[in-house]
Amino acid sequence: MKRIAESTVRRLSIYLGFLEEIGAEGVLTTSSDDLARLGGTTSAQVRKDLSFFGSFGKRGLGYSVPELSSHLREILGLARKWHICIVGAGNIGCALARYAGFAERGFMITGIYDSDPDRIGGRVGRVLVRDSASLEADIAAGEHDIVVLTVPPENAQDIVDRIVGAGIKAILSFAATQLAVPADVELRTVNMAMELEALTFALTNRDR
Amino acid sequence: MKRIAESTVRRLSIYLGFLEEIGAEGVLTTSSDDLARLGGTTSAQVRKDLSFFGSFGKRGLGYSVPELSSHLREILGLARKWHICIVGAGNIGCALARYAGFAERGFMITGIYDSDPDRIGGRVGRVLVRDSASLEADIAAGEHDIVVLTVPPENAQDIVDRIVGAGIKAILSFAATQLAVPADVELRTVNMAMELEALTFALTNRDR
DNA sequence: ACATGTGAACTGCTTCACAGCG
DNA sequence: CGCTGTGAAGCAGTTCACATGT
């Protein structure tokens, strides 16, 4: 199979969001045109995105909402449950642990780790705070599929090296620093400063 | 001036991060090669990115760290202070209000808004919780340059319409829903589910 | 008649390679 | 000589337009 562009995957997520929304409202059929309008793209783009994975529509008619939802869930890897743990029980780590949105999409928070003895053993929402020292062992035991990293930038690379060594294959980092991982580890970084700077750049340079 | 690609802006942010880091360590000179290695790109890409805005280097020598930092800050619009407010004093809103990383890059949090009477008048870190009802007036008065949106998805579009009406021109949304804004309003969306799905997609489809 | 699926055209980002200049 | 700055080439993602199937 051809390599899929990151932008395509992002759009598939958006399409799935809409399908679940309108599906919950009882809508049974939709079109590439609808999906495009709601997702801020074009109908040709929608059809091209889907065509990488198969032919899910009926010509002259459109797409079945439940069918296409289910195909997209399959494609995005959401057919199974994923266990995610949060490393770093600071402001953002705790906020994410309490955030309900994960479960809705099938992600289970299986732990939050910290090195502060005052926090270890406590709970954040329903999630137990565990000792960072046991992180590698828990990962090696297969307890977590994905690590969400919410530690200070100066500790981030150290944690990454440890969890990669323990066998983790997917990391979502909120640490404001560039991280190095082997090629077989998937890393995504959300950087607040970068997002704000994209805005200030646009505001500053809008009329050139 | 030619339109600048979003990917270019993202990289400029990354370059600036490194320049400030190595600048703090006292490094005075760097090269496109260094920046490329640290930022995970190529030296040609670095030079091309910078060349959109001018010639900041010395042939045969490289770039002056303080000079290039200052140029990048200018380009990204960081020469001035920006006032940002957070709308939604829930888990994520409060975590962001307490997050120190903003100030480091020159962003000032000038308020956090909520509609819950129990929260209004309280403080999150140093930031006063204000009544959402005064949001439009405060924006119209020019108190805030950028709104960071951390409200439940079902309220998000309503808030957006209100603040856009009040004259806001830049929004960073953490709401898990697609938002509509006029063309002259800059909108960026950070969507946790989308990030995780990019990871699960990669994990699921890695060896095709 | 209508909306999908898809090769072909197009646009734009990235990489290459080298001229230019300290 | 070394590293920048930059046209030109290459490649990837998007848009177009129409054949195809219902």
Side-chain angles (χ1 to χ4, degrees):
Chain A
M1 178 188 277
K2 226 183 132 292
R3 209 192 124 272
I4 303 300
E6 180 173 314
S7 49
T8 300
V9 178
R10 203 171 44 235
R11 284 191 299 268
L12 293 178
S13 265
I14 295 176
Y15 304 154
L16 178 57
F18 281 122
L19 288 167
E20 301 204 320
E21 198 172 302
I22 63 175
E25 292 167 9
V27 177
L28 290 175
T29 301
T30 189
S31 65
S32 56
D33 228 35
D34 290 347
L35 288 170
R37 198 148 350 92
L38 296 164
T41 180
T42 67
S43 61
Q45 182 74 78
V46 173
R47 296 197 298 276
K48 184 64 76 170
D49 288 340
L50 297 176
S51 77
F52 286 124
F53 303 96
S55 298
F56 307 123
K58 287 186 181 42
R59 289 167 197 256
L61 228 167
Y63 302 91
S64 149
V65 171
E67 262 179 45
L68 186 55
S69 294
S70 139
H71 280 299
L72 285 180
R73 294 189 64 83
E74 188 82 38
I75 291 164
L76 290 170
L78 302 177
R80 52 162 288 192
K81 282 257 180 289
W82 294 92
H83 293 180
I84 76 182
C85 75
I86 295 166
V87 178
N91 293 326
I92 296 168
C94 291
L96 293 178
R98 276 189 271 259
Y99 177 58
F102 288 126
E104 283 169 25
R105 217 62 177 246
F107 297 106
M108 295 181 56
I109 299 180
T110 43
I112 178 163
Y113 290 81
D114 205 285
S115 56
D116 181 346
D118 293 346
R119 288 179 181 154
I120 295 166
R123 280 184 187 276
V124 178
R126 288 187 192 76
V127 188
L128 184 69
V129 181
R130 310 198 212 178
D131 188 338
S132 293
S134 61
L135 186 53
E136 287 107 314
D138 293 350
I139 288 169
E143 280 198 54
H144 314 298
D145 302 305
I146 303 173
V147 168
V148 175
L149 201 66
T150 55
V151 298
E154 54 273 22
N155 305 332
Q157 185 66 58
D158 177 51
I159 300 272
V160 165
D161 294 343
R162 287 171 48 196
I163 62 181
V164 165
I168 203 80
K169 292 292 178 232
I171 301 169
L172 175 55
S173 169
F174 286 82
T177 181
Q178 195 79 0
L179 296 168
V181 293
D184 68 330
V185 176
E186 298 295 329
L187 170 69
R188 296 188 64 87
T189 301
V190 174
N191 186 325
M192 220 67 64
M194 206 178 290
E195 301 297 334
L196 287 173
E197 283 165 19
L199 290 174
T200 58
F201 174 84
L203 290 176
T204 307
N205 299 278
R206 48 175 46 206
D207 26 50
R208 296 219 198 178
Chain B
M1 177 188 278
K2 227 184 131 290
R3 208 191 126 272
I4 303 300
E6 179 173 314
S7 48
T8 300
V9 179
R10 204 170 44 236
R11 284 191 300 268
L12 294 177
S13 265
I14 295 176
Y15 304 153
L16 178 58
F18 281 122
L19 288 167
E20 301 204 320
E21 198 171 303
I22 64 175
E25 291 166 11
V27 177
L28 289 176
T29 302
T30 188
S31 66
S32 56
D33 229 33
D34 290 346
L35 289 170
R37 198 148 351 90
L38 296 164
T41 180
T42 66
S43 61
Q45 182 74 79
V46 173
R47 296 197 298 275
K48 183 66 80 176
D49 288 341
L50 297 176
S51 78
F52 287 124
F53 302 97
S55 298
F56 307 123
K58 288 186 180 42
R59 289 166 197 254
L61 228 167
Y63 302 90
S64 149
V65 172
E67 261 179 45
L68 187 54
S69 294
S70 140
H71 280 298
L72 285 181
R73 295 188 64 83
E74 187 82 37
I75 291 165
L76 290 170
L78 302 177
R80 53 162 286 191
K81 282 257 180 289
W82 294 93
H83 293 181
I84 76 181
C85 74
I86 297 167
V87 178
N91 293 325
I92 295 167
C94 291
L96 292 177
R98 277 189 271 258
Y99 177 58
F102 288 125
E104 282 169 25
R105 218 62 178 245
F107 296 105
M108 296 181 54
I109 299 181
T110 41
I112 178 165
Y113 290 82
D114 205 285
S115 56
D116 180 346
D118 293 347
R119 289 180 182 153
I120 295 166
R123 280 185 187 275
V124 177
R126 288 188 192 75
V127 188
L128 184 69
V129 181
R130 309 199 212 178
D131 188 338
S132 292
S134 61
L135 186 53
E136 287 108 315
D138 293 350
I139 288 170
E143 280 199 55
H144 315 298
D145 302 306
I146 302 172
V147 168
V148 176
L149 201 65
T150 55
V151 299
E154 55 272 23
N155 305 333
Q157 184 65 57
D158 177 51
I159 300 271
V160 165
D161 294 342
R162 286 172 48 197
I163 62 182
V164 165
I168 204 80
K169 292 293 180 233
I171 301 170
L172 175 56
S173 169
F174 286 82
T177 181
Q178 195 77 4
L179 295 168
V181 293
D184 69 330
V185 176
E186 299 295 329
L187 169 68
R188 297 189 62 86
T189 302
V190 174
N191 186 325
M192 221 67 65
M194 207 177 289
E195 301 296 333
L196 287 173
E197 284 165 18
L199 290 173
T200 58
F201 174 83
L203 290 176
T204 308
N205 300 276
R206 46 176 47 207
D207 25 52
R208 298 217 195 176

